[in-house]
Amino acid sequence: MSKRRFVIQKHDATNLHYDFRLEIGGVLVSWAVPKGLSTDPKDKRLAMQTEDHELEYLDFEGVIPEGYGAGTVMVWDIGTYRNLRSGKGGDQTGMEAALDEGLIEVWLEGKKLTGGYALKRIEDGSDPKWLVIKMDDEQADARRNPVSSEPDSALSGRSLEDIEAEAGPDDG
Ligand code: MN
């Protein structure tokens, strides 16, 4: 079972949100999750599918000066994932097929988040809406709230303010 990469970028744009991106078919398939991912299986977090991004964007941290997505971007979590619907014990559905079908189940190995996460499409069309839910496994923890308890970068340890300040006036 091959491991592919994922990232969750904290993005201080018009509204603060978390961009969850999975490497699928050579691009980063992306969802904007306003509240970020939870470790509590009881939480159903809205995830709005957005444009695919280039793989090079995976470890981008900095300031988008203007236009679409203007604001500060932090790598909030980063790591690898595997497809729980494929391989041993799975139904052998590949990631591309799972994406088309609207049901993704992945095991994340991040610095903050680990364990199974399900993404379920609830609305189709030009702006598909999904729910992202922590699967009920040994990594589930209703008391942990990493979005608030671990706010800083998984790559550099920096806060959004640090990243913005270090980008300097020429980039900002
Ligand atoms: Mn964004």
Side-chain angles (χ1 to χ4, degrees):
M1 213 179 314
S2 67
K3 285 188 175 180
R4 288 185 266 193
R5 293 173 294 171
F6 84 93
V7 67
I8 301 170
Q9 281 156 321
K10 188 171 173 178
H11 187 186
D12 190 13
T14 313
N15 296 298
L16 181 77
H17 60 274
Y18 294 78
D19 290 301
F20 181 34
R21 310 188 197 278
L22 295 173
E23 179 184 358
I24 301 174
V27 295
L28 296 170
V29 177
S30 301
W31 292 265
V33 185
K35 291 183 174 175
L37 279 71
S38 176
T39 53
D40 183 351
K42 288 198 295 295
D43 289 337
K44 295 178 171 64
R45 297 276 164 93
L46 179 66
M48 292 165 286
Q49 193 173 349
T50 56
E51 285 180 18
D52 296 346
H53 277 55
E54 303 284 321
L55 289 179
E56 289 68 36
Y57 198 69
L58 194 103
D59 57 0
F60 174 77
E61 212 168 62
V63 175
I64 301 170
E66 54 193 27
Y68 177 76
T72 307
V73 177
M74 169 204 290
V75 174
W76 183 78
D77 201 11
I78 191 164
T80 58
Y81 79 89
R82 56 194 171 80
N83 178 10
L84 289 175
R85 297 192 60 194
S86 181
K88 200 176 167 187
D91 60 21
Q92 309 309 328
T93 302
M95 286 302 293
E96 286 88 348
L99 181 66
D100 285 348
E101 217 175 87
L103 178 63
I104 289 171
E105 292 176 357
V106 288
W107 183 275
L108 303 183
E109 291 283 349
K111 296 186 178 183
K112 293 173 183 167
L113 301 183
T114 53
Y117 279 84
L119 280 147
K120 206 172 181 175
R121 191 168 55 222
I122 54 167
E123 205 179 299
D124 224 328
S126 55
D127 297 302
K129 291 186 176 66
W130 299 60
L131 293 174
V132 59
I133 305 160
K134 177 75 197 75
M135 293 167 78
D136 200 358
D137 54 36
E138 68 271 23
Q139 297 298 326
D141 186 345
R143 290 160 306 173
R144 219 185 130 206
N145 187 2
V147 163
S148 59
S149 62
E150 298 169 65
D152 297 334
S153 170
L155 268 191
S156 64
R158 297 186 294 173
S159 67
L160 279 172
E161 291 72 25
D162 294 338
I163 293 167
E164 194 181 348
E166 284 167 32
D170 292 336
D171 296 330

